[in-house]
Amino acid sequence: MATRIVMAEDSFIVREGLRMVLDEAGLEVVAAAEDYDELMTAVETHHPDAVITDIRMPPTRTDEGVRAAIEIRRRWPEVGVVVLSQYVDPGYVLTLFEEGTTGLAYLLKERVGDVDELIAAIDQVTSAGSVIDPRVVEVLVTARASAKASKLDRLTPREREVLEHVAEGKTNAAIARDLFLSERAVEKHINSIFTKLDLSFAEDVNKRVRAVVVWLADR
């Protein structure tokens, strides 16, 4: 039997072009959605083998495709999902694969023109495999290789723990209570954090806020 596909794309021209590509490849498009809600309804109704979805759709045109893929994998783990994007954005990829890689693919839209590559991705996700577009992998590897060492690497595990509590807006007294430390010990840890993050001699800045910014940036 032909692989049954639900596709989601809000652009009529792109949607019909993709439908034509899939039809010619021998796949059966059982439904075509224009937004997040239509996509989820179509999957629930048709129980396809795979879903092909644009990354940005109504209502917000931000990350509906990624959110739909994650929800589909939670609710129907037997359904593979291929997310198509025109964005070489590692952030989308990391979010997509945050809960696991099984049955998921992230391809750039330019791959739609390469029918063999698109079909291979569909085959992978319907066989519990996964695919990441080679260009995105290249960006991830390059970013990893060129990234500077994080200042947070200078901190001890306890100092990281204290800084995390600072980032939650807690006072020294609250941190001491939660970590079973004395307030004096918390003060020492925080002063050490300031030193290791090169904030000891910073003037006209809130050192706690600046330290939290460093922590958030690293995450």
Side-chain angles (χ1 to χ4, degrees):
M1 295 180 61
T3 301
R4 301 171 69 253
I5 304 290
V6 165
M7 51 182 286
E9 166 63 57
D10 64 309
S11 168
F12 175 79
I13 294 176
V14 176
R15 186 169 64 250
E16 292 308 305
L18 180 57
R19 186 199 297 270
M20 185 179 300
V21 167
L22 296 173
D23 286 342
E24 291 179 353
L27 282 66
E28 180 185 359
V29 178
V30 296
E34 297 183 25
D35 58 37
Y36 178 91
D37 290 336
E38 284 189 11
L39 171 56
M40 300 307 292
T41 298
V43 175
E44 185 170 17
T45 301
H46 296 281
H47 297 287
D49 300 304
V51 167
I52 302 177
T53 178
D54 187 15
I55 199 166
R56 293 186 175 181
M57 297 180 292
T60 68
R61 298 183 187 279
T62 54
D63 61 349
E64 279 80 6
V66 170
R67 290 193 290 108
I70 293 171
E71 184 64 19
I72 289 167
R73 291 298 299 164
R74 287 174 180 167
R75 296 173 60 183
W76 303 286
E78 72 280 3
V79 178
V81 184
V82 177
V83 176
L84 297 177
S85 174
Q86 66 189 67
Y87 308 100
V88 186
D89 188 334
Y92 285 131
V93 180
L94 296 176
T95 300
L96 178 65
F97 292 107
E98 190 171 24
E99 296 184 8
T101 61
T102 301
L104 292 169
Y106 185 99
L107 292 182
L108 297 180
K109 278 190 172 181
E110 61 194 52
R111 304 297 178 189
V112 174
D114 188 335
V115 178
D116 290 339
E117 191 163 353
L118 178 60
I119 300 305
I122 295 171
D123 288 341
Q124 281 292 319
V125 298
T126 55
S127 302
S130 62
V131 179
I132 303 178
D133 193 284
R135 282 188 59 198
V136 179
V137 173
E138 182 180 352
V139 169
L140 286 167
V141 172
T142 301
R144 178 79 178 190
S146 63
K148 295 180 180 179
S150 170
K151 288 184 178 180
L152 296 187
D153 292 339
R154 306 171 184 175
L155 305 184
T156 66
R158 175 61 89 180
E159 288 167 349
R160 280 176 169 266
E161 193 173 19
V162 169
L163 180 54
E164 183 173 354
H165 283 261
V166 171
E168 294 173 358
K170 295 179 180 178
T171 64
N172 287 4
I175 296 172
R177 183 175 59 253
D178 291 346
L179 297 183
F180 302 100
L181 297 171
S182 67
E183 288 191 47
R184 179 59 179 162
V186 172
E187 289 176 7
K188 287 184 177 180
H189 283 309
I190 290 178
N191 286 332
S192 177
I193 290 168
F194 291 160
T195 299
K196 292 180 179 180
L197 298 184
D198 300 325
L199 298 175
S200 290
F201 301 102
E203 297 180 357
D204 301 324
V205 298
N206 186 314
K207 295 177 184 179
R208 291 176 80 97
V209 172
R210 185 64 65 84
V212 169
V213 169
V214 174
W215 183 79
L216 292 173
D218 185 79
R219 287 172 64 86

